[in-house]
Amino acid sequence: MTSATEAPEGDLIARREGSCGVIRLNRPKAINAVTLEMFRDVDKALDQFEADPAVAVILLEGAGERGLCAGGDIRALWESSKVAGDLGKILWREEYILNARIKKFPKPYVAFMDGIVMGGGVGLSAHSSHRVVTERTKLAMPEVGLGFFPDVGGTWLLSHSPGEIGTYFGLTGQTMNGPDAINAHFADAVVPSAKLPALREALTKVRPGATSAEIKTLIDGFATGETAGPVAAMQTKIDSWFAHDRMEDIVAALQQDRSELALSTLKTLGEKSPRGMVVTLKLLRLARASSSLEECLVREYRAALEVFASDDFREGVRAAVIDKDRSPKWSPPRIEDVTPAMQAPYFAEIGADELRFN
């Protein structure tokens, strides 16, 4: 790599260690939130590692103790949205194309999903071929709380979770622990965080040309074998509440249940953007019938551009990230006020701006 990406002070460090192409997100104070330049540097690193026959496997990791990645640089997107800028259009286009590239990357790609993994961090890790979580993992797609929806291929991932588990996580933004991430098909193996250094060392010694099956066997040697966490135990209830295709019906099912869990879930939904939830539910149902990640990313890109121009996005980020008053004033304020006419632009074709893959 260039000296710029090798420099420890860079926001992204990419270098070969033995036979492992290491990509380290390096903004620990921001829990490695990803900027446009970092996405571009990841793409450049993948170019180099793909072409280098000495690189047998890719490893994605985050600097610091708090997590792999807390998401994208929301503050920068908010600033651009306020002035009708084009950061959303540029960043999401490049990010989503990168997400699709990771899914199809020809060499084994291992992601250490330790600590916090959210939003854009999910996009860089959960599409990889070998997804390692730990007892410290806190994985979430909390975008509906920002007037947004689970993007970066989140609709594809969530729609492939068992039953309505993905609908639940997508609409509530609730956090998965490591075993629940495996149950939801966001991860593959739980490895104790204390064993990550030894696993990392082993990955640097993998023979060039090693297959995905060999990498899986290597990782499994460090894994606990856990496959289901606390949310999996609630699946029967979750399936009955979230099986509906309209938000009004999901809310009604929760209201009728009256259990403590139903009421707490109802309270959580009540804090989210009504428009964000309605759009998310429709995207999840469309994703369920989709044949590829790319198909979902094209749809997500259309919706993301509409979100970027919306008051709800600016208000959601203001309340959560800027002012931190946790009191967003959503528009419209109620689910039943989200009309078909309001929804339509999120799903409309966008002509020359459509997302395209090479």
Side-chain angles (χ1 to χ4, degrees):
M1 300 300 296
T2 64
S3 58
T5 53
E6 285 175 353
E9 66 273 11
D11 286 345
L12 189 103
I13 300 169
R15 60 180 171 227
R16 181 163 67 83
E17 297 183 27
S19 58
C20 187
V22 177
I23 297 173
R24 183 181 305 138
L25 308 179
N26 193 41
R27 295 182 70 205
K29 289 181 181 175
I31 319 181
N32 302 315
V34 199
T35 64
L36 176 58
E37 286 307 314
M38 288 168 73
F39 286 127
R40 288 174 173 170
D41 285 343
V42 170
D43 199 46
K44 288 175 194 167
L46 291 178
D47 283 343
Q48 181 143 345
F49 294 152
E50 184 174 350
D52 186 347
V55 172
V57 59
I58 310 301
L59 172 62
L60 175 75
E61 61 183 9
E65 295 296 313
R66 295 166 72 193
L68 171 67
C69 176
D73 191 347
I74 290 291
R75 186 179 286 268
L77 287 164
W78 180 77
E79 295 282 2
S80 182
S81 176
K82 280 202 309 177
V83 297
D86 60 1
L87 180 60
K89 184 175 179 179
I90 295 166
L91 183 146
W92 286 320
R93 177 182 297 278
E94 296 189 29
E95 181 181 15
Y96 295 1
I97 289 170
L98 179 59
N99 298 150
R101 180 181 188 183
I102 290 167
K103 171 82 172 169
K104 291 186 170 178
F105 199 69
K107 295 181 179 181
Y109 183 125
V110 180
F112 280 1
M113 300 165 76
D114 186 34
I116 291 170
V117 187
M118 294 185 182
V122 173
L124 291 176
S125 59
H127 299 299
S128 48
S129 55
H130 304 278
R131 304 163 300 177
V132 175
V133 286
T134 74
E135 79 284 354
R136 302 189 299 199
T137 295
K138 294 179 180 177
L139 190 153
M141 301 292 285
E143 290 80 4
V144 283
L146 299 174
F148 200 30
F149 60 88
D151 67 328
V152 298
T155 61
W156 169 259
L157 291 162
L158 292 164
S159 69
H160 285 76
S161 298
E164 299 297 339
I165 292 283
T167 313
Y168 166 80
F169 279 124
L171 291 173
T172 63
Q174 293 289 76
T175 301
M176 308 177 200
N177 68 5
D180 267 327
I182 291 177
N183 180 64
H185 301 173
F186 274 68
D188 303 299
V190 179
V191 173
S193 57
K195 291 188 176 181
L196 288 182
L199 173 55
R200 190 184 190 282
E201 177 69 16
L203 288 170
T204 66
K205 296 174 179 174
V206 169
R207 66 169 186 85
T211 65
S212 267
E214 290 173 83
I215 301 298
K216 180 183 185 305
T217 299
L218 172 62
I219 293 169
D220 286 347
F222 292 85
T224 65
E226 295 168 90
T227 58
V231 174
M234 307 186 309
Q235 179 157 356
T236 302
K237 284 279 196 184
I238 286 171
D239 286 355
S240 68
W241 297 331
F242 286 88
H244 308 282
D245 295 337
R246 296 186 335 130
M247 277 306 306
E248 294 92 329
D249 296 332
I250 291 174
V251 168
L254 289 162
Q255 288 172 334
Q256 286 164 14
D257 186 291
R258 305 304 294 172
S259 67
E260 189 177 337
L261 180 60
L263 292 174
S264 67
T265 302
L266 204 55
K267 182 177 183 295
T268 298
L269 293 178
E271 298 164 357
K272 309 304 180 188
S273 158
R275 194 187 320 197
M277 287 189 290
V278 170
V279 169
T280 293
L281 183 57
K282 185 169 181 179
L283 285 168
L284 289 174
R285 295 302 183 247
L286 289 169
R288 199 170 265 177
S290 298
S291 60
S292 69
L293 169 62
E294 284 91 342
E295 191 179 328
C296 292
L297 287 166
V298 167
R299 200 182 292 118
E300 289 177 12
Y301 189 66
R302 293 170 182 170
L305 296 193
E306 190 64 25
V307 167
F308 193 65
S310 75
D311 291 336
D312 251 23
F313 174 68
R314 289 186 285 272
E315 175 62 7
V317 176
R318 180 205 64 75
V321 179
I322 310 300
D323 298 338
K324 298 183 180 177
D325 60 23
R326 308 289 173 190
S327 299
K329 303 292 185 287
W330 300 120
S331 174
R334 302 184 311 158
I335 290 166
E336 52 268 38
D337 296 332
V338 183
T339 65
M342 283 180 196
Q343 297 174 50
Y346 292 84
F347 301 91
E349 295 183 7
I350 52 176
D353 283 334
E354 291 283 13
L355 188 65
R356 291 179 177 82
F357 303 93
N358 295 333

